[in-house]
Amino acid sequence: MASVTFKGVFPILVTPFDDHGNLDLESFDRMVRFMADIGVNGVTIIGVLGESNRMLDAEREQLIKTAVDAADGRIPVIAGTSYSGTRATLELSRMAESLGAAGVMVTPSRESVPNEDRIFEFFQQVAEGISIPIVVQDHPASTQVHMSVSLILRLVREIPLVACIKEEAVPTPPRITALLNGIGDRAVTILTGLGALYGAFDLARGAHGFMTGFAFPEVLLALVRSAKNKDFDAVHDIYHRYLPLIVYEQQPGVALRKEIFRLRGLIASSYVRHPGANIDPTTADHLKSLLHKMLPGMDITRPIEV
Amino acid sequence: MASVTFKGVFPILVTPFDDHGNLDLESFDRMVRFMADIGVNGVTIIGVLGESNRMLDAEREQLIKTAVDAADGRIPVIAGTSYSGTRATLELSRMAESLGAAGVMVTPSRESVPNEDRIFEFFQQVAEGISIPIVVQDHPASTQVHMSVSLILRLVREIPLVACIKEEAVPTPPRITALLNGIGDRAVTILTGLGALYGAFDLARGAHGFMTGFAFPEVLLALVRSAKNKDFDAVHDIYHRYLPLIVYEQQPGVALRKEIFRLRGLIASSYVRHPGANIDPTTADHLKSLLHKMLPGMDITRPIEV
Amino acid sequence: MASVTFKGVFPILVTPFDDHGNLDLESFDRMVRFMADIGVNGVTIIGVLGESNRMLDAEREQLIKTAVDAADGRIPVIAGTSYSGTRATLELSRMAESLGAAGVMVTPSRESVPNEDRIFEFFQQVAEGISIPIVVQDHPASTQVHMSVSLILRLVREIPLVACIKEEAVPTPPRITALLNGIGDRAVTILTGLGALYGAFDLARGAHGFMTGFAFPEVLLALVRSAKNKDFDAVHDIYHRYLPLIVYEQQPGVALRKEIFRLRGLIASSYVRHPGANIDPTTADHLKSLLHKMLPGMDITRPIEV
Amino acid sequence: MASVTFKGVFPILVTPFDDHGNLDLESFDRMVRFMADIGVNGVTIIGVLGESNRMLDAEREQLIKTAVDAADGRIPVIAGTSYSGTRATLELSRMAESLGAAGVMVTPSRESVPNEDRIFEFFQQVAEGISIPIVVQDHPASTQVHMSVSLILRLVREIPLVACIKEEAVPTPPRITALLNGIGDRAVTILTGLGALYGAFDLARGAHGFMTGFAFPEVLLALVRSAKNKDFDAVHDIYHRYLPLIVYEQQPGVALRKEIFRLRGLIASSYVRHPGANIDPTTADHLKSLLHKMLPGMDITRPIEV
């Protein structure tokens, strides 16, 4: 298993299907290899973008295996293992560990009566059953769970396996400041998500990189390089240059992003599992025009230069 | 597989665990046999009460197998197979069918943008992959999905496998009237749930019985017998007699009901999986007092006389 | 202004309209006088049941004036003054105080990001602007706001005007125990609501009475008398006797309760303001039958004997 | 009253308060005059951004009067009049009309059981009581109400006063296409909102302009001019140029936008009413840096050149 420090760029991968909705592991393998080739710091699979909530356990197993094999020790694989029950989350996390995942990404589930103590216990119990690090995903837009800053800091303080916060509760910039102030010396990092929508602003606040599904991780790598050099003018410029694409791509719905991955030659079909919506022809056209405008003359099936 | 007509009493079973949260299949077997012995018309497993949202796929498989074996053809077993993705729901339903379930109970999942056409397609696609009847569960309190009467009637009209509506959207009585008026000649039944809270009122509106977890299904059987004879005074009297227990037991949380099953000798532990709450000692005491008051001198480990 | 101790029975009044939706202050006056005549400990107006969220400020003013005049110092009037902004809640509370209300009932509003500190400040700022006691309503079913027990106890400890908790977060019994344990010596009472659905159980836990809209407060008065005498067998018996009516009436929708008030001769019309639903003829018929069965031979336009 | 065609740019105005939360009508007057000076097509007041849900009725009245006076017939004033009850919405709309508003902006309220027929009736009943046009605001993020395209088209078809759709249900571009296809010959326009986040994309789909709170409406005017000339390359370029600012400003929370209005010299204080959050110093600093970077050397207290 590749060891992992949660700094840099961790693309969240889509889950490719064929046009009948069957797993397309060949595309999945290709996507993972591509990511390793362009130098990302790891990949995250079976997240919201990966349509995790439409997947059987056996399919999760296949995906983890495939990704770990494809990564081949070159990059760590983080597996999303969130489930509505604590024990099931723990079992899925154990499976991920046993299959070679370098970490798990976990988000709490909505309960009819929200209760932060229960959320703490949830992470605690999961941590007790595994030995790989945990990424706490804070994404109320998909979970309907609002974690307070003090809850997250309690997770950081009391659960040693918590190694990273994927921060996606808007507005993210002040939240990142509050978390960094609270984390202190603990070696826990903060990655921003949300398709990089607030990327430059979150890096300026001290975020350590990206864990998100933007389909041109080359751009994110350039952003992180400049941020590492404290060159925030360059960060701003790169962010500004690609921002229309970032904004367009982060619209709700997995289909848009899958279509870009398809256009990049990474997956064979942009099929989304029901009840998710597939891309409509007009939107596909507009997307193509936008790509032409933003990346003129580029062959996007190859790594792009930023 | 036992064939099934969705009339009468279909207890929803809890999923028994040991005190460490492992499946207790022995208790599960005992509970199913007990239900067959007292003459229910079927049992429903892996519903909300069965903590379905905290269960791995492999556990679902074990539960279905165990229930079908225990039922031994004496009563049909209905398996809850709801999942947030259509295909996963279909696959779980296929598994249930292949293991001998007589029907599946399915509820739509909350999507971030509600869309009744998608819900229709969801049921349609599930129906296309199986050949056993479908119970449509309409329980917005747990699903956050509000199906309109016209959507449910469309399901009834256009999907032949839809055989039963488990109606739990409050207020249920006018909804049952609206559904019955709309169903017409289609041989689709309506069962009431919600722990029988509105049992007498829903039977008076024409509901065909119960699919719910009230821990004394003997009472529900008596209610249905009287309703069948159109003796609604008797229905009212029986309902009235047990109503404090019905009200108490239907409070949110699975623990109360599991504790009664435990006191009835049907399951070994009332353990609830995290993040569900276990019963606290004061509540357990109050429950015992209430049982004594409502069922004076009765041995509740045996079928009770109503 | 009548002084107030929040023990006993505080009916929540509906807001009567004519058949065009105009305020019917004559009926409102009659209802308040009726309540004073039967000996309740106060009335609460402009709550959820009072369709507060469909009322202009000027109408609230008229309702408070009318109720205070009708009460004529015989019973205190509590006015619901919840609003989505803190300052507006404060201003409405001030208006209520200046018009002679003996207390205000306040519930926090849903914010897109829940935050208990903000809820605390909300109550604190309202308290700073008035000098009459505050009833904290805890009713997540209507507010979508889940207050933790520790937040409520903080309100009790730190805001002297907080005098009463109207507890309606299910399951209420263990919550009442937790609150009573935490309140200690502070003279803060707990009243149960929810149409008295859990009345006997909540009184057994130590609740000090009812603040709810059950249309036969005579029953609630009898329950409180027996509870005061520690005669919980009598509490159980009375509760049991009327329970079908309690269950039926507490179904969602204001219309049912308004119809009973109309049948009792207290209001002229059961009209509910849009988008609320009016009662349908079948339900009205069923309600009448139920009233006949539960209160045989009684003239419900007069105070009933319990 | 100024007549109104809902094309072009309609800034949504914040509601200015002094540092104690009192209405600051002088600032409000100044802001309206500024908007008229730079040539917008109208202003919209008392929307979500205007903290409408924290305002007493008497304050709404003052705001409408002030805006209509300040507009002085040069530009139409649209007043937000949404309320959780139909009749109250109608009465507020009547008040707006009588005070000289040229139109009302109305959004449906969340009901515990969503029902599109009720939403239709809601708009129908409001329309029956007024004679000025209605803007239907479709913004599920703040309302929790999801209107289907077919409901909106029914509103357009059957309610002649419906003159404009403020479309803010993401993803907006395909929704705008669907609406335009359905509207046909009816002279109903679509304006985009959401702080102009998807401005270029929505204009490319055929949106007729903006009704949103972006604090530099000069930019929106330039976008609309180019779109009118079918020069979508220019639209893209202008949008791209200001996009970091657009993204930053549209983050949740009114405070950011109020702070820009303050920096522009239009309002005296950026105070937000509780429980809304005021801007923190770090965010205020970051905002200033961003403004410097995006608008180098510009005096933003004057209309900016785009």
Side-chain angles (χ1 to χ4, degrees):
Chain A
M1 178 202 322
S3 88
V4 55
T5 309
F6 291 100
K7 293 181 177 176
V9 177
F10 293 76
I12 308 249
L13 302 188
V14 300
T15 300
F17 303 114
D18 66 20
D19 290 341
H20 304 285
N22 303 304
L23 286 186
D24 171 4
L25 297 175
E26 194 183 314
S27 289
F28 199 54
D29 173 280
R30 184 165 52 241
M31 204 170 22
V32 173
R33 289 177 196 278
F34 176 88
M35 296 300 168
D37 289 347
I38 63 171
V40 303
N41 303 82
V43 291
T44 303
I45 64 173
I46 322 180
V48 175
L49 179 67
E51 300 173 63
S52 63
N53 63 333
R54 301 169 189 149
M55 217 72 69
L56 292 169
D57 297 346
E59 294 175 319
R60 295 169 207 254
E61 188 177 348
Q62 288 180 281
L63 289 167
I64 299 171
K65 269 186 192 160
T66 302
V68 169
D69 283 356
D72 199 20
R74 297 163 67 200
I75 49 170
V77 172
I78 316 303
T81 56
S82 306
Y83 204 85
S84 48
T86 305
R87 185 191 171 99
T89 303
L90 169 55
E91 294 299 336
L92 292 174
S93 300
R94 268 189 185 138
M95 175 179 75
E97 179 172 6
S98 76
L99 295 174
V104 290
M105 177 175 72
V106 176
T107 190
S109 289
R110 180 185 177 274
E111 290 294 313
S112 55
V113 180
N115 182 323
E116 296 218 322
D117 287 338
R118 300 257 159 193
I119 294 175
F120 177 79
E121 294 159 14
F122 167 76
F123 281 102
Q124 193 178 41
Q125 291 181 24
V126 171
E128 277 165 10
I130 59 175
S131 59
I132 50 176
I134 297 173
V135 178
V136 175
Q137 184 183 15
D138 181 22
H139 189 222
S142 68
T143 59
Q144 304 182 270
V145 177
H146 296 270
M147 294 192 277
S148 68
V149 166
S150 69
L151 171 63
I152 297 177
L153 291 176
R154 188 179 167 206
L155 295 174
V156 165
R157 264 196 321 274
E158 301 190 28
I159 305 178
L161 281 185
V162 166
C164 176
I165 311 298
K166 174 162 152 60
E167 186 48 64
E168 311 187 284
V170 288
T172 46
R175 211 163 156 87
I176 287 173
T177 297
L179 287 171
L180 286 173
N181 287 342
I183 285 175
D185 290 342
R186 261 282 266 129
V188 169
T189 63
I190 297 177
L191 298 176
T192 182
L194 297 175
L197 183 59
Y198 304 107
F201 309 122
D202 289 347
L203 290 176
R205 294 287 188 141
H208 302 85
F210 294 92
M211 186 175 281
T212 195
F214 182 56
F216 296 92
E218 298 95 323
V219 173
L220 307 181
L221 286 164
L223 285 166
V224 166
R225 271 194 305 270
S226 297
K228 224 172 158 180
N229 298 332
K230 307 278 176 209
D231 184 354
F232 286 100
D233 283 336
V235 168
H236 181 85
D237 289 347
I238 299 167
Y239 172 71
H240 193 168
R241 196 179 330 145
Y242 294 96
L243 194 48
L245 197 51
I246 290 173
V247 168
Y248 197 80
E249 205 200 288
Q250 60 78 51
Q251 293 182 86
V254 177
L256 257 179
R257 209 159 269 166
K258 285 193 129 169
E259 177 65 5
I260 305 182
F261 275 109
R262 193 187 69 78
L263 293 170
R264 297 203 72 177
L266 294 171
I267 64 177
S269 162
S270 65
Y271 184 91
V272 174
R273 278 194 177 170
H274 195 271
N278 284 286
I279 198 165
D280 65 274
T282 312
T283 299
D285 278 357
H286 280 250
L287 172 63
K288 253 190 207 162
S289 306
L290 181 64
L291 289 170
H292 280 297
K293 205 187 293 278
M294 300 300 302
L295 304 163
M298 284 200 196
D299 175 3
I300 62 173
T301 66
R302 320 215 29 189
I304 65 167
E305 304 272 333
V306 178
Chain B
M1 178 203 318
S3 88
V4 55
T5 310
F6 291 100
K7 293 181 177 177
V9 177
F10 293 76
I12 308 250
L13 302 188
V14 299
T15 300
F17 304 114
D18 67 21
D19 290 342
H20 304 284
N22 302 304
L23 285 187
D24 171 3
L25 296 175
E26 194 183 314
S27 289
F28 198 54
D29 173 281
R30 184 164 53 243
M31 204 170 23
V32 173
R33 288 177 196 278
F34 176 87
M35 295 301 167
D37 290 346
I38 64 172
V40 302
N41 303 83
V43 290
T44 303
I45 64 172
I46 321 179
V48 175
L49 179 67
E51 299 172 63
S52 62
N53 61 333
R54 300 170 189 147
M55 216 72 69
L56 293 169
D57 298 345
E59 294 175 320
R60 295 169 207 256
E61 187 178 349
Q62 286 181 282
L63 289 166
I64 299 171
K65 269 186 190 158
T66 303
V68 169
D69 283 356
D72 199 21
R74 296 163 69 201
I75 49 170
V77 173
I78 315 303
T81 57
S82 305
Y83 205 85
S84 47
T86 305
R87 185 189 169 101
T89 304
L90 169 55
E91 293 300 336
L92 291 174
S93 300
R94 268 190 187 139
M95 175 179 76
E97 178 172 6
S98 76
L99 295 174
V104 290
M105 178 174 72
V106 177
T107 190
S109 289
R110 179 185 177 276
E111 292 294 314
S112 54
V113 180
N115 183 324
E116 297 218 321
D117 287 338
R118 300 255 160 196
I119 295 176
F120 177 80
E121 294 160 14
F122 168 77
F123 281 102
Q124 193 178 41
Q125 290 180 25
V126 171
E128 276 164 12
I130 59 175
S131 59
I132 51 177
I134 297 173
V135 177
V136 175
Q137 185 183 13
D138 181 22
H139 187 222
S142 68
T143 59
Q144 303 181 269
V145 177
H146 296 270
M147 293 192 278
S148 68
V149 166
S150 68
L151 170 63
I152 297 177
L153 291 176
R154 188 178 167 209
L155 295 174
V156 166
R157 262 196 323 273
E158 299 189 29
I159 305 178
L161 280 186
V162 167
C164 175
I165 310 299
K166 173 161 155 61
E167 186 48 64
E168 311 187 283
V170 288
T172 46
R175 210 161 157 88
I176 288 173
T177 297
L179 287 172
L180 286 172
N181 288 342
I183 286 175
D185 290 342
R186 261 283 265 129
V188 169
T189 64
I190 297 176
L191 298 176
T192 182
L194 297 174
L197 182 60
Y198 303 107
F201 309 123
D202 288 346
L203 290 176
R205 294 287 188 138
H208 302 87
F210 294 91
M211 184 175 284
T212 195
F214 183 57
F216 296 94
E218 299 96 321
V219 173
L220 307 182
L221 287 164
L223 285 166
V224 167
R225 273 194 304 271
S226 296
K228 223 172 158 179
N229 298 331
K230 308 278 176 210
D231 184 354
F232 287 100
D233 283 335
V235 168
H236 181 86
D237 290 347
I238 299 166
Y239 171 73
H240 192 167
R241 197 179 329 146
Y242 294 96
L243 194 48
L245 197 51
I246 290 172
V247 168
Y248 198 80
E249 205 200 288
Q250 61 77 50
Q251 292 180 88
V254 177
L256 258 179
R257 208 160 271 166
K258 284 192 130 169
E259 177 65 5
I260 305 182
F261 275 109
R262 193 187 67 79
L263 293 169
R264 296 203 72 175
L266 294 172
I267 65 177
S269 161
S270 66
Y271 184 91
V272 174
R273 279 194 177 171
H274 195 272
N278 283 285
I279 198 164
D280 65 274
T282 312
T283 300
D285 278 359
H286 279 251
L287 172 63
K288 251 189 208 164
S289 306
L290 180 65
L291 289 170
H292 281 297
K293 205 187 293 277
M294 300 300 302
L295 303 163
M298 284 200 196
D299 175 2
I300 63 173
T301 66
R302 318 214 31 187
I304 65 167
E305 305 272 333
V306 178
Chain C
M1 178 204 321
S3 87
V4 55
T5 310
F6 291 101
K7 292 181 178 176
V9 177
F10 293 75
I12 307 248
L13 303 189
V14 299
T15 300
F17 303 114
D18 67 20
D19 290 342
H20 304 286
N22 303 304
L23 286 187
D24 171 4
L25 297 175
E26 195 184 315
S27 288
F28 198 54
D29 173 280
R30 185 165 52 242
M31 203 170 23
V32 173
R33 288 176 195 278
F34 176 88
M35 295 301 168
D37 290 346
I38 63 172
V40 301
N41 302 84
V43 290
T44 303
I45 64 173
I46 322 180
V48 175
L49 179 67
E51 298 172 66
S52 62
N53 61 335
R54 299 169 190 149
M55 216 71 69
L56 293 169
D57 297 346
E59 294 175 319
R60 294 168 207 255
E61 187 178 349
Q62 287 181 283
L63 289 166
I64 299 172
K65 269 186 191 160
T66 303
V68 170
D69 282 355
D72 199 21
R74 297 163 68 199
I75 50 171
V77 173
I78 316 304
T81 56
S82 307
Y83 204 85
S84 47
T86 306
R87 185 189 170 101
T89 303
L90 168 55
E91 294 298 336
L92 291 174
S93 299
R94 269 189 186 139
M95 176 178 76
E97 179 173 7
S98 75
L99 296 174
V104 290
M105 177 175 72
V106 176
T107 190
S109 289
R110 180 185 177 275
E111 292 292 314
S112 54
V113 180
N115 183 323
E116 296 218 322
D117 287 338
R118 300 255 159 195
I119 295 176
F120 177 79
E121 294 160 14
F122 168 77
F123 280 104
Q124 193 178 39
Q125 291 180 23
V126 171
E128 277 165 10
I130 59 174
S131 59
I132 51 176
I134 296 173
V135 178
V136 174
Q137 184 183 14
D138 181 23
H139 188 222
S142 68
T143 60
Q144 304 181 270
V145 177
H146 296 270
M147 293 191 279
S148 68
V149 166
S150 69
L151 170 63
I152 297 178
L153 291 175
R154 188 178 167 209
L155 295 175
V156 165
R157 263 195 323 273
E158 300 188 29
I159 305 178
L161 281 186
V162 166
C164 176
I165 311 298
K166 173 161 154 61
E167 187 48 64
E168 311 187 283
V170 288
T172 46
R175 209 162 158 87
I176 287 173
T177 296
L179 286 172
L180 287 172
N181 288 342
I183 285 175
D185 291 341
R186 260 282 265 129
V188 168
T189 63
I190 297 176
L191 298 176
T192 182
L194 297 175
L197 183 61
Y198 303 108
F201 309 123
D202 288 347
L203 290 176
R205 294 287 186 138
H208 302 87
F210 294 92
M211 186 177 281
T212 195
F214 182 56
F216 295 93
E218 300 95 322
V219 173
L220 307 182
L221 286 164
L223 285 166
V224 167
R225 272 192 305 270
S226 297
K228 223 171 157 181
N229 298 332
K230 309 276 176 213
D231 184 354
F232 287 100
D233 283 337
V235 167
H236 181 86
D237 289 347
I238 299 167
Y239 171 72
H240 192 167
R241 197 179 329 145
Y242 294 96
L243 195 47
L245 197 50
I246 289 172
V247 168
Y248 197 80
E249 205 200 288
Q250 61 78 50
Q251 292 181 87
V254 178
L256 257 179
R257 209 160 270 167
K258 284 193 131 169
E259 177 66 5
I260 305 182
F261 274 109
R262 194 187 67 79
L263 293 170
R264 297 203 71 176
L266 294 172
I267 65 176
S269 163
S270 65
Y271 184 91
V272 174
R273 278 194 177 170
H274 195 271
N278 284 287
I279 198 165
D280 66 273
T282 311
T283 299
D285 278 359
H286 279 251
L287 172 63
K288 252 190 206 161
S289 306
L290 181 64
L291 288 171
H292 280 297
K293 203 186 294 276
M294 299 302 301
L295 303 163
M298 283 201 197
D299 176 2
I300 63 173
T301 66
R302 319 214 31 184
I304 65 165
E305 305 272 335
V306 178
Chain D
M1 178 203 319
S3 87
V4 54
T5 309
F6 291 100
K7 293 181 177 176
V9 177
F10 293 76
I12 308 250
L13 302 189
V14 300
T15 300
F17 303 115
D18 66 20
D19 289 342
H20 304 285
N22 302 304
L23 286 187
D24 171 4
L25 296 176
E26 195 183 314
S27 289
F28 199 54
D29 174 280
R30 184 165 52 243
M31 204 170 22
V32 174
R33 287 177 197 277
F34 176 87
M35 296 300 168
D37 289 347
I38 63 171
V40 302
N41 303 84
V43 290
T44 302
I45 64 172
I46 321 178
V48 175
L49 179 67
E51 300 173 65
S52 62
N53 62 334
R54 300 170 189 149
M55 216 71 69
L56 293 169
D57 297 345
E59 294 176 318
R60 295 169 207 254
E61 188 178 347
Q62 287 181 281
L63 289 166
I64 299 172
K65 269 186 190 159
T66 303
V68 170
D69 282 355
D72 198 22
R74 296 163 68 201
I75 49 170
V77 172
I78 315 304
T81 56
S82 306
Y83 205 85
S84 48
T86 306
R87 185 191 171 99
T89 304
L90 170 54
E91 293 299 336
L92 291 175
S93 300
R94 269 189 186 141
M95 175 178 75
E97 179 172 6
S98 76
L99 295 174
V104 290
M105 178 175 72
V106 177
T107 190
S109 289
R110 180 185 177 274
E111 292 293 313
S112 54
V113 180
N115 183 322
E116 297 219 320
D117 286 338
R118 300 255 159 196
I119 295 176
F120 178 80
E121 294 159 14
F122 167 76
F123 281 103
Q124 192 177 41
Q125 291 181 24
V126 171
E128 276 164 11
I130 58 174
S131 58
I132 51 176
I134 297 172
V135 178
V136 174
Q137 184 183 14
D138 181 24
H139 188 222
S142 66
T143 60
Q144 303 182 271
V145 177
H146 296 270
M147 295 192 277
S148 67
V149 166
S150 69
L151 170 63
I152 297 177
L153 290 176
R154 188 179 167 207
L155 295 174
V156 166
R157 262 196 322 273
E158 301 189 29
I159 304 179
L161 281 185
V162 167
C164 176
I165 311 299
K166 175 161 152 61
E167 186 49 64
E168 311 187 284
V170 288
T172 45
R175 210 161 156 87
I176 288 172
T177 297
L179 287 172
L180 286 172
N181 288 342
I183 285 175
D185 291 341
R186 261 283 264 129
V188 168
T189 64
I190 297 177
L191 298 176
T192 183
L194 297 174
L197 183 59
Y198 303 108
F201 309 123
D202 288 347
L203 290 176
R205 294 288 188 141
H208 302 86
F210 295 92
M211 186 176 281
T212 195
F214 182 56
F216 295 93
E218 299 95 323
V219 173
L220 308 182
L221 286 164
L223 285 166
V224 167
R225 271 193 305 271
S226 296
K228 223 172 157 180
N229 298 332
K230 307 277 175 212
D231 184 354
F232 288 101
D233 283 335
V235 167
H236 181 85
D237 289 347
I238 299 166
Y239 171 73
H240 193 168
R241 195 177 332 143
Y242 293 96
L243 194 49
L245 197 52
I246 290 173
V247 167
Y248 197 80
E249 205 200 287
Q250 60 78 49
Q251 293 181 87
V254 178
L256 258 179
R257 209 159 271 168
K258 284 192 130 171
E259 178 65 4
I260 305 182
F261 274 109
R262 193 185 69 78
L263 294 170
R264 298 204 69 177
L266 294 171
I267 65 177
S269 163
S270 66
Y271 184 91
V272 174
R273 278 194 176 169
H274 195 272
N278 284 286
I279 199 165
D280 66 273
T282 312
T283 300
D285 278 358
H286 280 251
L287 173 62
K288 253 190 207 162
S289 306
L290 181 64
L291 289 171
H292 280 297
K293 206 188 291 277
M294 300 300 303
L295 304 163
M298 283 200 197
D299 175 1
I300 63 173
T301 67
R302 318 213 31 185
I304 65 167
E305 305 272 333
V306 178

